[in-house]
């Protein structure tokens, strides 16, 4: 037989039933709050780097390293085989045009110069002497020719006399023949003399010309040697800075051996190095941007060196402003070789938040809360990253490294 339940027990049962029913929504609320705490957090805004999305130009570039060099260097070689007798400037010294940098012992060259000078004077005298001899011989030959001409006239007169005498019976045929013979011989003698005179004129002129050429050659050698003697005092040919000088006093240097290098510090160029992985992408004439601290200079690739060293390729860059005040010799700079450009694209400053992926979860700030949003990434460089997708100009992104917050959907930011 069933025992009746008391009112108090019935009341307890009802309370327990209502408690169980109320525990379900409370558990759901607590679970929601717990999950929300896992997916959101609070943080100080100062902990993050924040950048604003904007429209602008984007460059697709290849990064390289660069070295600032003088646009050109003048190399001075030794003009003679001699010892270095004195050095007046050192590496890094500034020099002005005409200043003596170092001196060579040119005693031997000076002796050769004096000897060559004496030989030239002797040959010059020989030319003068030959001219006198040439004039004398010509005068003698011309005199002989004149005399022979007078003899010929006399013989012609005698022949006419013999012909008159024979016509009146006053001379024999034999005398007439002899007169004719003497006249003929005289004609041939004069012709021979005229040939000799013409030959002498030509040959003496040639001989004189040969000697004059020898004198000219000797004079050029003498001038060259005089220049070498003068250049034994090695002088700066322009204003600049000495980047290399042979300081070995007493050392013998050969003719043509390098002595000094002077750099022009009024203009510079860039020698850039980049990975050989980009060898097919980099071409002569491509535009470049060179960054010196916070200064950007533009230019173009003038030439690419053919050899590959340590998996890198070198190229020479001409700057549009090659005399910019920020340029210093041997300074290391950043170089960006520009492959292409995009105009008027949405971009944001580059930062640690970007890991190179095509799509990334980024935190976009709105009303003091950073919401996680998936965006596509376009081209990027060291300065900016192109953004594609649900993003608009003026919105702000966190560009700090967000690895420890990547599980969150939102972050409440406090100032």
């Amino acid at each position: 037989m069933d025992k009746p339940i008391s009112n108090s027990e019935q009341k307890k049962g009802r309370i327990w039933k209502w408690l169980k029913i109320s525990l379900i929504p409370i558990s759901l609320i607590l679970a929601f709050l717990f999950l929300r705490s896992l997916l959101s957090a609070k943080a100080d805004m100062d902990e993050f780097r924040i950048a604003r999305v904007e429209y602008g130009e984007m460059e697709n570039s290849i990064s390289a390293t660069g070295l600032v060099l003088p646009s050109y260097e003048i190399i001075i070689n030794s003009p003679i085989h001699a010892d270095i007798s004195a050095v007046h400037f050192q590496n890094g010294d500034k020099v002005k045009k005409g200043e003596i940098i170092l001196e060579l012992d040119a005693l031997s060259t000076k002796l050769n110069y004096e000897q060559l000078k004496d030989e030239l004077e002797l040959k010059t005298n020989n030319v003068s002497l030959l001219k006198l001899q040439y004039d004398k011989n010509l005068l003698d030959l011309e005199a002989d020719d004149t005399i022979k001409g007078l003899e010929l006239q006399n013989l012609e007169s005698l022949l006419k006399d013999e012909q008159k005498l024979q016509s009146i019976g006053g001379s024999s045929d034999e005398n007439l023949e002899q007169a004719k013979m003497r006249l003929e011989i005289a004609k041939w003698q004069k012709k021979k003399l005229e040939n000799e005179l013409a030959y002498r004129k030509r040959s003496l002129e040639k001989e004189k010309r040969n000697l004059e050429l020898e004198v000219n050659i000797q004079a050029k050698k003498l001038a060259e040697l005089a220049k070498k003697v003068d250049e034994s005092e090695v002088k700066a040919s322009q204003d600049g800075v000495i980047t290399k000088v042979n300081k070995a006093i007493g050392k013998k240097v050969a003719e043509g051996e390098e002595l000094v290098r002077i750099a022009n510090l009024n203009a510079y160029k860039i020698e850039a190095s980049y990975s050989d992985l980009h060898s097919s992408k980099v071409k002569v004439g491509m535009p470049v941007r060179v960054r010196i601290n916070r200064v950007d200079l533009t230019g173009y690739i003038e030439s690419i060196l053919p050899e590959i060293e340590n998996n890198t390729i070198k190229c020479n860059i001409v700057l549009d402003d090659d005399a910019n005040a920020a340029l210093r010799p041997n300074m290391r700079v950043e170089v960006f070789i520009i492959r292409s450009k995009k105009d008027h694209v949405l971009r944001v400053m580059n930062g640690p938040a970007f890991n190179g992926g095509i799509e990334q979860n980024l935190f976009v700030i709105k009303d003091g809360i950073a919401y996680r949003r998936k965006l596509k990434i376009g081209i990027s460089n060291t300065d900016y990253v192109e953004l594609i997708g649900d993003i608009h100009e003026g919105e702000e992104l966190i560009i700090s490294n967000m690895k420890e917050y990547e599980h969150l959907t939102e972050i409440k930011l406090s100032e």
Side-chain angles (χ1 to χ4, degrees), residues 70-87:
S71 60
Y72 64 88
E73 282 185 320
I74 291 177
I75 300 174
I76 303 176
N77 299 320
S78 176
I80 56 176
H81 187 81
D83 297 337
I84 297 174
S85 59
V87 178

Side-chain angles (χ1 to χ4, degrees), residues 109-125 215 218-219 221-223 225-226:
T109 306
K110 288 177 181 177
L111 292 175
N112 289 338
Y113 172 79
E114 294 299 329
Q115 181 181 349
L116 200 63
K117 184 179 179 182
D118 292 340
E119 290 177 1
L120 178 61
E121 186 177 353
L122 181 62
K123 287 191 176 184
T124 304
N125 290 337
V215 168
Q218 194 88 345
K221 288 181 179 178
L222 188 65
L225 206 56

Side-chain angles (χ1 to χ4, degrees), residues 39 52 59 82 137 173 212 214 221 227 235 356 379 389:
L39 296 175
R52 188 180 297 274
E59 295 176 350
N137 289 343
D173 292 341
E212 285 176 345
E214 288 183 16
K221 288 181 179 178
K227 183 181 177 183
K235 300 175 182 178
I379 63 174

Side-chain angles (χ1 to χ4, degrees), residues 34-182:
F34 176 73
L35 288 173
R36 184 174 179 179
S37 68
L38 291 177
L39 296 175
S40 65
K42 291 183 178 180
D44 192 341
M45 187 176 287
D46 293 338
E47 295 179 15
F48 306 111
R49 288 177 58 194
I50 298 171
R52 188 180 297 274
V53 178
E54 64 181 15
Y55 278 105
E57 183 184 81
M58 281 294 302
E59 295 176 350
N60 182 12
S61 60
I62 296 170
S63 295
T65 58
L67 182 66
V68 179
L69 298 173
S71 60
Y72 64 88
E73 282 185 320
I74 291 177
I75 300 174
I76 303 176
N77 299 320
S78 176
I80 56 176
H81 187 81
D83 297 337
I84 297 174
S85 59
V87 178
H88 302 295
F89 288 88
Q90 304 298 321
N91 291 343
D93 289 347
K94 290 185 177 181
V95 291
K96 292 185 177 181
K97 183 177 180 180
E99 288 186 318
I100 299 173
I101 300 170
L102 62 78
E103 297 179 50
L104 300 172
D105 183 1
L107 180 60
S108 176
T109 306
K110 288 177 181 177
L111 292 175
N112 289 338
Y113 172 79
E114 294 299 329
Q115 181 181 349
L116 200 63
K117 184 179 179 182
D118 292 340
E119 290 177 1
L120 178 61
E121 186 177 353
L122 181 62
K123 287 191 176 184
T124 304
N125 290 337
N126 286 340
V127 171
S128 299
L129 184 62
L130 182 66
K131 188 175 184 307
L132 292 173
Q133 187 66 41
Y134 167 77
D135 293 339
K136 177 182 177 301
N137 289 343
L138 286 184
L139 288 173
D140 289 346
L141 286 172
E142 287 173 353
D144 290 343
D145 185 58
T146 301
I147 293 170
K148 187 58 69 176
L150 293 174
E151 290 179 358
L152 191 60
Q153 290 177 6
N154 183 53
L155 288 173
E156 287 175 345
S157 177
L158 290 174
L159 178 60
K160 289 179 181 179
D161 291 342
E162 284 294 329
Q163 287 173 339
K164 287 180 181 180
L165 288 173
Q166 187 191 37
S167 63
I168 58 175
S171 179
S172 63
D173 292 341
E174 183 180 355
N175 289 339
L176 182 61
E177 288 300 321
Q178 287 179 354
K180 288 181 179 180
M181 183 64 68
R182 285 193 296 271

Side-chain angles (χ1 to χ4, degrees), residues 292-327:
I292 306 171
N293 299 324
R294 295 183 179 181
V295 177
D296 281 5
L297 302 177
T298 58
Y300 65 92
I301 296 176
E302 181 186 41
S303 61
I304 299 173
L305 277 64
E307 65 269 12
I308 299 175
E309 186 176 349
N310 297 326
N311 298 322
T312 61
I313 300 174
K314 291 184 178 180
C315 64
N316 292 316
I317 295 171
V318 174
L319 297 172
D320 297 327
D321 181 10
D322 59 6
N324 191 281
L327 294 165

